[in-house]
Amino acid sequence: MNKNKTADTRATAGANLGRRRFLARSTAAAVGVGALGGTLLSPAAWAAKAVGDHASATLLRMARDIYPHDRLEDKYYAQVMTPLAEKAETDADLKALLKEGVAALDAQAQQHFGKPYLDIAAETDRVTLLKAQQDTPFFQKIRGDLMMGIYNNPELWPRFGYGGSSWEQGGYRYRGYEKNDWIEGV
């Protein structure tokens, strides 16, 4: 047998083994990431169990339209809405409020744009629909929970340029505000 052919066969076998191992590990990794992405990390998964996939996705879109921070990932909105969804699982009135609120929003969207709220591409059109809903208990519940959940999240304060509560650190006076150079005569 030719020594070069044997060496080539071993090299090919090693490459195949490496490729097989790579494919096996890649497949396992892809399945793992897909499982995480499909369930745990899905932004709409937070409420799907309580109110269904469509209502969950609609509520997330609604949340982003009420407090539109384009640089915030969906996970921050979902973190706020998760306790609401968990409560809806045991609170029939809250569950009905969410489901009926989404249904009313979709009905209004169908009436004005011929499609559900989720399918309306222009943010200005969605905001018009939300303004018509702003006095309803449904809208007020979502707005209130989001306001407290997003703006009371210390993880997000630096992203909004807020340094956090000041009284524990002696107030704002000695945290850079004494270096005011944008007002003349200060």
Side-chain angles (χ1 to χ4, degrees), residues 40-175:
L40 297 175
L41 301 178
S42 172
W46 62 271
K49 186 176 175 187
V51 294
D53 289 333
H54 174 76
S56 177
T58 301
L59 289 170
L60 183 61
R61 171 69 58 90
M62 180 183 170
R64 294 202 67 98
D65 289 339
I66 292 173
Y67 293 103
H69 297 288
D70 293 338
R71 293 184 191 169
L72 291 186
E73 298 83 3
D74 284 346
K75 71 178 183 178
Y76 294 110
Y77 292 91
Q79 284 173 357
V80 173
M81 303 300 274
T82 298
L84 185 67
E86 290 171 352
K87 188 174 178 186
E89 289 181 29
T90 58
D91 184 338
D93 292 337
L94 178 60
K95 187 174 185 174
L97 179 74
L98 297 177
K99 286 184 133 185
E100 291 168 10
V102 168
L105 191 59
D106 276 341
Q108 188 182 20
Q110 285 286 351
Q111 181 183 6
H112 292 284
F113 301 101
K115 53 181 96 173
Y117 180 81
L118 259 181
D119 294 340
I120 298 173
E123 183 180 334
T124 54
D125 292 340
R126 293 191 311 269
V127 169
T128 299
L129 294 173
L130 290 176
K131 283 182 178 178
Q133 296 267 329
Q134 68 185 351
D135 294 328
T136 65
F138 166 67
F139 181 91
Q140 290 300 318
K141 177 67 177 161
I142 301 299
R143 184 199 60 81
D145 283 17
L146 282 168
M147 181 178 63
M148 296 307 292
I150 288 177
Y151 300 115
N152 275 346
N153 183 347
E155 185 181 337
L156 293 175
W157 291 346
R159 295 178 74 173
F160 295 135
Y162 176 57
S165 179
S166 68
W167 69 269
E168 305 92 343
Q169 300 171 32
Y172 288 112
R173 185 172 179 196
Y174 300 111
R175 295 180 60 201

